[in-house]
């Protein structure tokens, strides 16, 4: 069982991209980012259970899918925000 660390990397990358956008857009993006970060924490806790069972639990897979969807949405918003600032 391997933890999906690429989601964490994408989440961190989004955070640093949020810092670089204009202040008027920044707070809105942070409001979207915070629940996704909390979801990562939940995924990380569920990973402990997965390691004990040596297989992914249904809850882990659901959280992972939800987090993936949120990250993809944030990446699209950041792309749009970048286009608006140019």
């Amino acid at each position: 069982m391997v933890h999906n660390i690429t989601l964490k990397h994408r989440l961190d990358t989004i955070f640093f991209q949020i810092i670089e956008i204009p202040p008027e857009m920044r707070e809105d993006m942070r409001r979207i980012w915070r629940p996704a970060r909390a979801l990562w924490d939940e995924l990380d806790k569920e990973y402990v259970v997965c390691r004990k069972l040596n297989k992914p639990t249904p809850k882990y897979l659901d959280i992972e899918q939800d987090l993936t969807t949120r990250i993809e949405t944030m990446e699209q918003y950041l792309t749009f925000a970048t286009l608006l600032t140019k």
Side-chain angles (χ1 to χ4, degrees):
M1 171 90 208
V2 178
H3 197 23
N4 195 342
I5 200 71
T6 57
L7 291 175
K8 173 69 169 135
H9 177 70
R10 287 171 67 190
L11 199 58
D12 290 343
T13 302
I14 289 169
F15 177 77
F16 290 112
Q17 287 176 341
I18 289 172
I19 291 173
E20 299 200 8
I21 62 175
E24 60 271 4
M25 293 182 208
R26 191 176 305 150
E27 190 55 38
D28 292 335
M29 288 303 298
R30 282 186 185 158
R31 286 185 185 142
I32 298 170
W33 182 83
R34 283 185 198 116
R37 179 65 173 104
L39 204 56
W40 168 258
D41 292 339
E42 192 177 331
L43 183 73
D44 203 32
K45 290 175 188 174
E46 187 63 25
Y47 180 66
V48 174
V49 176
C50 293
R51 281 194 348 229
K52 289 178 183 176
L53 298 174
N54 202 22
K55 65 178 184 176
T57 62
K59 182 178 179 183
Y60 180 87
L61 295 174
D62 288 343
I63 296 170
E64 183 180 43
Q65 181 59 43
D66 187 19
L67 183 59
T68 302
T69 304
R70 289 173 188 241
I71 288 174
E72 288 170 357
T73 302
M74 285 188 292
E75 288 171 342
Q76 290 171 359
Y77 284 162
L78 280 168
T79 300
F80 188 65
T82 303
L83 291 173
L84 286 175
T85 58
K86 301 256 175 181

